[in-house]
Amino acid sequence: MSGHSAVCRRLLEEGLSADALDLDNCTPMIYATLRGSVECVRVLLEVGHVSVQATVLNGDLIPLSLAARSGHYDVVVLLLQHGAPSLPNTNGEYPTHLAAQEGHHTICQLLVGQEGWDTPDKYNEWTPLFHAARYGHEQCLRVLLEAGSRPDRTDELENSAVHYAAWYGHHTCVSLLMEAKQRYTAAHTPISHPSPMSMSDTCSTGGESDIDAIPSLSLPPPMMPYRVYGHNYLDKNTLVQVSIGHRMSRYPESGLEKTERYLHTSPRLKLVVTASPAVTAAPFSISLPLADDERTVYTFQVPSIDTLSLEFSLYPNFGTKIVGRAASLPSSLGPGSTKASTLPIFDHRLHVIGEVSFEIITVTPFSGVTLEIGGAVETYWKAIASPLSTPSAKATTPRFMPPSRSLASAQTSPSAHSIISSGSHSLTHSSLSGSFFYITVQVTRDLQPVAYPEWRLPDDTFDLGVADVTLAQFLALAERRGRRPLPPASSSLSIKDIQAVISRSMVALSDLLKIIPAHLGVCLELAYPTAPVLEQRTLGHRVDLNDAVDAVLRTIYDITSLEGHVGRRNVVFTSFAPDVCAALNWKQPNYPVFFASQCGRTGAHAPSATALAVRDARDYRVSSLNSAVEVCKTNNLLGLLLDAEFLNEVPSLIQAVKDCGLLLGAFGVASQLPMLESNGIDAFLHDGVMTYSTRHY
C-alpha cells in the first residue's frame, strides 16, 4: 500500500503469506498494483510466488485490470511479462476497456492484440472504442482505430461510438470518428454481425413454437394520448436549486482528486443536504467523491428565501455517525438570484476537515399579473405517446451514472438518455404549429424589455450594454443611429417587412409587438449576459435574473390582454442561458420554453450574436447535449433548440432527444432542412423565422 518493497521482501522471507486477505478481500498484490509500485509487484511475483493466473474472490479485482485502469504502465508491462492473462470482469470488460475509460492511450497500445481488446462487453455491448469516445479520450481513439477497431459497430441500443462522443460534447472525437467511419465504409462492405445478446436470445427461443411462447401482458398505448395543457409553476413559494459540483468540473484544470486505495470499491462517504424551512424538501444524499463530469442539483421550494438555511452533514456511506458538518445561514447567502459559496466542514473538535462548494439559484413567483389558463392567453399543450410495440422492439430501462465509477460498467453506463431502443420510440407532440418571428430581447437598467440582438450597444464613445442604460437613453441612441424606423401599428406589413423591422430596429418590445399582427407568433430569445460576457466586453451592469424575467413576462401578459379581442397570440420563449430558461418556465404556465444550446461548439449559423458558447458562460450545462437534456428534464422545459449542422453530422441524436420526451428544433441554413425533416425534427429556425411542423392528432 505504501510502496516499501524492501519491507515486503523481508516479510515474505519471514514466512508471511503473500495472498492474505484483508477486510476488503484485497491481497497485497491488489494494493501494490493500485499504488503502481513496480518493485513491490516484482517482489510479490518473484519472492512471494503470487500467481498471475489465479483469480481472487471478487471477479473485479484482477491485477492487470487494476493496473490498466490506474494507468500504471510499468506494472502492466511487468504483469504481461509474467504471463498475466487478459480476463474480463463481472461485466465483461477487459483491461483494454478500463484503460480506454480512463484515457491511458499508452496502455491501450500495449494491450492491443490481447484477449478482448475489441470485444463488446456484456452490459452495453461496448467495445473499448465506445468507452474512449464516451469519455472524450482522443489519443485512445487513435490507438484503437489504427489497430483496426471498427468505427461502424453499434451497441445494444443500435448507436455507434460517434453518437456518444457527440452526446457528451467531445467534438474532436466526433470529427476523428466520422473520418474513420468514412474511410472504413469506403474500404469495406457493411456486414451485419448479430450481437452476443441477440444470438443468445435467438438460441433460447428458437425451439419454442408460437403457442408455447409467453404472451405479452402489456397494454397497447391509447389511440389518442391525453394532452397536458401548460406546466407546473410557482404560485406563492420560491424555488431553490442548490448545485454541488463545479460548473466546469468536466475540464482538467478543476478535476477532483481520487483516493487510489478505494478505487475498486463503492464510495465511502456521503453528503446529506438539509434545507430549513422547506415546503417540498427531504434531506438530499450525495455519494462522494463526485465524478469529474458530475453536477448534482437539489431542488426544493421555500416560503421565503430570507429565512433559508442549509446544513451539509458528512456521514460514512454505511453508518449514522456524523464525520463533519457545515452550515449556511440566511445572512450568508446574500441578495440576488444567483449565489456561489464555499463553506468549511468541521469535525466534532471544530477542526477543518474539508470544504463544500455550491451554487444557489432562486426563482421567485411572478406577481403583478393574473395568470390564467384559457381566455385571452394562449396555453400550449403537449402529449407523449409510444407506438404499438413489435416483436423486434426492445425496451430498455434508463441507466444513470452514479458519482463514482468502479471497475464494473454497470456503474459507467452511458445510456441515461436512452429510454426506448430503435423499433419503439416515443413520440412527443404539441400544439405549436406555423411560423414564429425570432426576436432577441434584453432588459434595460429601468427594467424595460427591448429588442436588440447584440451584447454591446452601437456607441463609439462608451462600452455599454443594454443593462447599462435606461429605456429613454436606449431609444435616444436608436434615433441617433437611425435604427428606430417603426411603421404605424395600423399599417399592413408583409412577412419580409416585419423581418426587416426586427433585424434593423432598436425598439421597446411592447412597441414592436404592436406592429406584428396578433395572429402571428413570436419566439422570444431572452439574452442574459453572464459574468464572462461582461468581463470580455467590458460591460458594467447586469439586471437581476428574476427582475429581468418578470419584466419580459409582464410585457407579454399586458400586450396579450390588449390583443385579446382580436386573437390570442402564440408566444414561445427560448434562451441560451439555462438559468433564464428555468426562471421563464417556473414563473408561468401558459407559454412553452425551449433551451437553446450550441453544445460546446461555436457554430457559424447561431440565430443571434448573443448565443452563448462555453467561453461565454464557463458553465458545464452549455458544454454538451447530455447537459442540455438534463437542464430540460430538471426544469420541465418543452424542448431543445440545437445547431442543425451538429444534428446533421450525427442524425441518431435527434431520436435520442425525442426519446427523452422533448421536442427538438434546430437553427441553421435552409440547405440543412431536408435531412432534418426526414429524421423527424419538430421545428427549424432560419432567416429570423421559426417554423414548426404540423404533425398533430
Side-chain angles (χ1 to χ4, degrees):
M1 187 182 298
S2 299
H4 302 309
S5 59
V7 176
C8 289
R9 181 183 296 273
R10 179 62 176 168
L11 292 174
L12 291 173
E13 290 174 350
E14 291 296 325
L16 270 70
S17 173
D19 291 318
L21 295 174
D22 65 1
L23 295 178
D24 292 320
N25 285 330
C26 293
T27 64
M29 175 63 79
I30 299 300
Y31 289 118
T33 303
L34 289 174
R35 174 76 180 184
S37 177
V38 180
E39 293 306 317
C40 286
V41 174
R42 191 187 308 276
V43 168
L44 291 169
L45 291 173
E46 298 177 357
V47 180
H49 304 292
V50 174
S51 174
V52 293
Q53 303 287 341
T55 58
V56 294
L57 295 178
N58 189 334
D60 288 334
L61 300 182
I62 304 171
L64 184 59
S65 295
L66 294 174
R69 179 174 178 184
S70 301
H72 301 313
Y73 180 86
D74 293 336
V75 175
V76 173
V77 171
L78 181 60
L79 291 172
L80 291 176
Q81 288 174 349
H82 283 76
S86 178
L87 300 174
N89 60 18
T90 54
N91 288 294
E93 291 176 321
Y94 288 83
T96 315
H97 291 78
L98 305 175
Q101 285 179 15
E102 301 298 330
H104 305 311
H105 66 279
T106 55
I107 295 179
C108 286
Q109 196 163 21
L110 192 64
L111 294 173
V112 164
Q114 295 287 330
E115 179 70 23
W117 80 272
D118 196 32
T119 301
D121 59 37
K122 293 191 300 185
Y123 190 74
N124 300 311
E125 298 184 34
W126 274 24
T127 64
L129 190 73
F130 280 80
H131 290 281
R134 183 265 176 261
Y135 293 107
H137 301 311
E138 182 181 354
Q139 293 300 322
C140 289
L141 285 178
R142 293 186 183 277
V143 168
L144 295 169
L145 290 171
E146 290 174 1
S149 184
R150 288 183 48 180
D152 65 332
R153 189 189 294 270
T154 58
D155 63 359
E156 64 172 350
L157 300 178
E158 299 185 9
N159 293 323
S160 62
V162 69
H163 173 93
Y164 297 102
W167 184 270
Y168 289 99
H170 308 304
H171 300 294
T172 55
C173 295
V174 171
S175 301
L176 182 62
L177 288 166
M178 293 290 290
E179 294 173 1
K181 191 172 183 179
Q182 291 174 358
R183 292 194 301 268
Y184 185 89
T185 303
H188 298 79
T189 302
I191 301 176
S192 176
H193 292 286
S195 67
M197 184 176 296
S198 61
M199 290 178 63
S200 62
D201 292 343
T202 303
C203 294
S204 63
T205 59
E208 296 179 348
S209 63
D210 293 339
I211 195 171
D212 295 328
I214 299 176
S216 173
L217 300 180
S218 61
L219 296 175
M223 295 181 63
M224 181 67 72
Y226 67 91
R227 296 176 177 179
V228 177
Y229 284 82
H231 53 262
N232 293 335
Y233 69 101
L234 299 173
D235 184 15
K236 298 179 180 179
N237 296 321
T238 296
L239 181 81
V240 180
Q241 291 184 341
V242 180
S243 301
I244 299 177
H246 196 279
R247 283 197 168 192
M248 296 307 290
S249 61
R250 73 187 296 268
Y251 294 96
E253 58 266 22
S254 57
L256 300 177
E257 184 178 352
K258 298 179 181 177
T259 303
E260 289 186 344
R261 176 181 178 182
Y262 301 123
L263 186 64
H264 61 283
T265 61
S266 61
R268 293 303 181 97
L269 294 173
K270 62 182 177 183
L271 184 68
V272 179
V273 187
T274 306
S276 178
V279 177
T280 61
F284 185 71
S285 182
I286 306 167
S287 296
L288 299 178
L290 293 175
D292 290 346
D293 58 354
E294 187 178 8
R295 178 183 174 90
T296 301
V297 180
Y298 174 35
T299 302
F300 55 92
Q301 296 181 23
V302 296
S304 173
I305 192 65
D306 297 331
T307 59
L308 174 65
S309 63
L310 296 173
E311 188 176 272
F312 302 87
S313 302
L314 195 62
Y315 291 89
N317 202 33
F318 300 100
T320 58
K321 184 178 180 180
I322 296 178
V323 177
R325 178 168 287 172
S328 176
L329 301 178
S331 58
S332 65
L333 296 178
S337 301
T338 58
K339 314 171 188 68
S341 182
T342 299
L343 299 176
I345 300 177
F346 297 95
D347 64 6
H348 65 281
R349 296 183 301 273
L350 296 183
H351 294 165
V352 177
I353 60 174
E355 62 183 26
V356 55
S357 298
F358 61 95
E359 296 167 342
I360 291 183
I361 301 170
T362 58
V363 179
T364 57
F366 177 52
S367 59
V369 175
T370 301
L371 301 180
E372 58 178 340
I373 298 179
V377 179
E378 178 71 18
T379 301
Y380 78 100
W381 59 260
K382 70 175 180 179
I384 301 178
S386 296
L388 289 173
S389 59
T390 63
S392 61
K394 179 173 59 177
T396 60
T397 303
R399 296 185 294 272
F400 295 89
M401 185 173 62
S404 177
R405 301 198 310 270
S406 74
L407 290 178
S409 65
Q411 297 191 7
T412 61
S413 171
S415 307
H417 63 279
S418 301
I419 297 179
I420 300 176
S421 67
S422 64
S424 181
H425 292 295
S426 61
L427 304 174
T428 303
H429 300 266
S430 79
S431 57
L432 300 179
S433 63
S435 298
F436 291 67
F437 291 105
Y438 191 88
I439 304 172
T440 301
V441 178
Q442 299 185 62
V443 178
T444 62
R445 190 175 63 194
D446 54 347
L447 302 181
Q448 298 298 318
V450 297
Y452 185 66
E454 298 178 17
W455 291 123
R456 183 176 292 171
L457 292 174
D459 186 272
D460 299 331
T461 307
F462 303 101
D463 292 332
L464 297 173
V466 172
D468 294 317
V469 299
T470 64
L471 176 61
Q473 294 168 338
F474 178 84
L475 296 179
L477 178 60
E479 290 284 358
R480 292 199 303 270
R481 292 290 179 178
R483 297 185 61 174
R484 201 191 169 197
L486 280 181
S490 59
S491 61
S492 178
L493 298 177
S494 65
I495 300 295
K496 290 185 177 180
D497 292 336
I498 296 175
Q499 287 179 270
V501 170
I502 294 174
S503 63
R504 71 170 183 263
S505 299
M506 294 172 56
V507 295
L509 178 62
S510 57
D511 294 337
L512 180 59
L513 292 178
K514 290 176 183 178
I515 70 168
I516 300 177
H519 66 276
L520 297 178
V522 292
C523 177
L524 302 181
E525 178 211 334
L526 180 48
Y528 189 72
T530 61
V533 167
L534 297 177
E535 178 183 347
Q536 294 165 9
R537 292 164 176 80
T538 61
L539 305 179
H541 187 65
R542 180 173 63 174
V543 178
D544 180 76
L545 173 65
N546 282 294
D547 292 340
V549 174
D550 286 350
V552 174
L553 289 177
R554 188 170 293 107
T555 298
I556 293 299
Y557 277 99
D558 288 345
I559 294 296
T560 302
S561 299
L562 294 175
E563 295 173 340
H565 65 284
V566 295
R568 299 185 298 178
R569 183 189 298 277
N570 288 313
V571 178
V572 173
F573 288 107
T574 187
S575 179
F576 284 85
D579 294 338
V580 171
C581 289
L584 283 168
N585 211 59
W586 279 106
K587 285 176 178 288
Q588 52 80 33
N590 306 111
Y591 302 117
V593 180
F594 283 73
F595 176 39
S597 177
Q598 299 191 79
C599 298
R601 298 159 56 105
T602 304
H605 304 292
S608 70
T610 56
L612 295 176
V614 172
R615 68 175 184 274
D616 299 320
R618 298 174 191 165
D619 191 334
Y620 173 69
R621 296 171 295 176
V622 304
S623 63
S624 69
L625 180 53
N626 177 63
S627 301
V629 169
E630 181 183 349
V631 169
C632 293
K633 301 293 286 184
T634 301
N635 297 287
N636 195 27
L637 306 185
L638 182 60
L640 275 170
L641 185 60
L642 304 178
D643 188 346
E645 183 179 2
F646 177 46
L647 296 175
N648 275 328
E649 286 182 359
V650 190
S652 61
L653 297 175
I654 297 176
Q655 188 59 52
V657 172
K658 294 169 73 69
D659 282 345
C660 294
L662 301 173
L663 293 184
L664 181 59
F667 53 83
V669 295
S671 60
Q672 299 167 329
L673 179 58
M675 182 176 292
L676 294 176
E677 283 185 327
S678 64
N679 285 283
I681 201 77
D682 296 299
F684 191 72
L685 167 63
H686 72 100
D687 293 337
V689 177
M690 173 85 81
T691 303
Y692 288 85
S693 65
T694 56
R695 296 189 297 270
H696 297 312
Y697 302 109

